[in-house]
Amino acid sequence: LFLDRSDAAELPIKFSPRYVGCYHCQILLKSSCDVRVYEIECVVNTDHVEAELEFLTPAYQAVIQDIPIRNMSSQDWQLEAVLEGQGFYGPPLINVGLGQTALYPLMFKPVAEC
């Protein structure tokens, strides 16, 4: 059985999420001779966000900045941190439960004036 465009029907949907996350929806279509359920999943990510941190500390003394990571999705996150640059330290993995905010402790400890 082949359907052409005359057998198709448009079903316009407007989706305006207020927050990042995973949104699930079911659409039930019924007629006298047919029942169909369509499941839709929309994943909303943030726009590309840039941040800048400035660390000021004497040489050989550490300063730690806790960076909040907020999980507004519907599943737990296990994030891997890749740090680049001399003198920066932090845990390689961080777990953020769904609906929770975790703090990533980014440490800067310069070994010389820089």
Side-chain angles (χ1 to χ4, degrees), residues 10-67:
E10 288 188 25
L11 180 63
I13 298 172
K14 182 176 180 180
F15 176 63
S16 302
R18 295 183 64 193
Y19 305 105
V20 299
C22 189
Y23 296 83
H24 299 274
C25 172
Q26 286 187 344
I27 299 173
L28 175 66
L29 300 176
K30 289 197 259 184
S31 72
S32 59
C33 59
D34 194 12
V35 175
R36 295 178 189 217
V37 177
Y38 293 91
E39 292 192 22
I40 298 174
E41 177 180 284
C42 296
V43 177
V44 179
N45 297 314
T46 60
D47 291 334
H48 180 70
V49 177
E50 289 186 27
E52 185 175 315
L53 298 175
E54 184 174 325
F55 292 90
L56 183 61
T57 186
Y60 302 106
Q61 291 188 20
V63 62
I64 297 175
Q65 174 68 55
D66 288 325
I67 301 172

Side-chain angles (χ1 to χ4, degrees), residues 65-91:
Q65 174 68 55
D66 288 325
I67 301 172
I69 301 174
R70 189 171 174 197
N71 181 353
M72 298 293 291
S73 74
S74 61
Q75 57 189 346
D76 292 338
W77 289 347
Q78 183 179 34
L79 304 175
E80 178 183 358
V82 178
L83 301 178
E84 297 179 0
Q86 189 175 4
F88 290 95
Y89 306 93

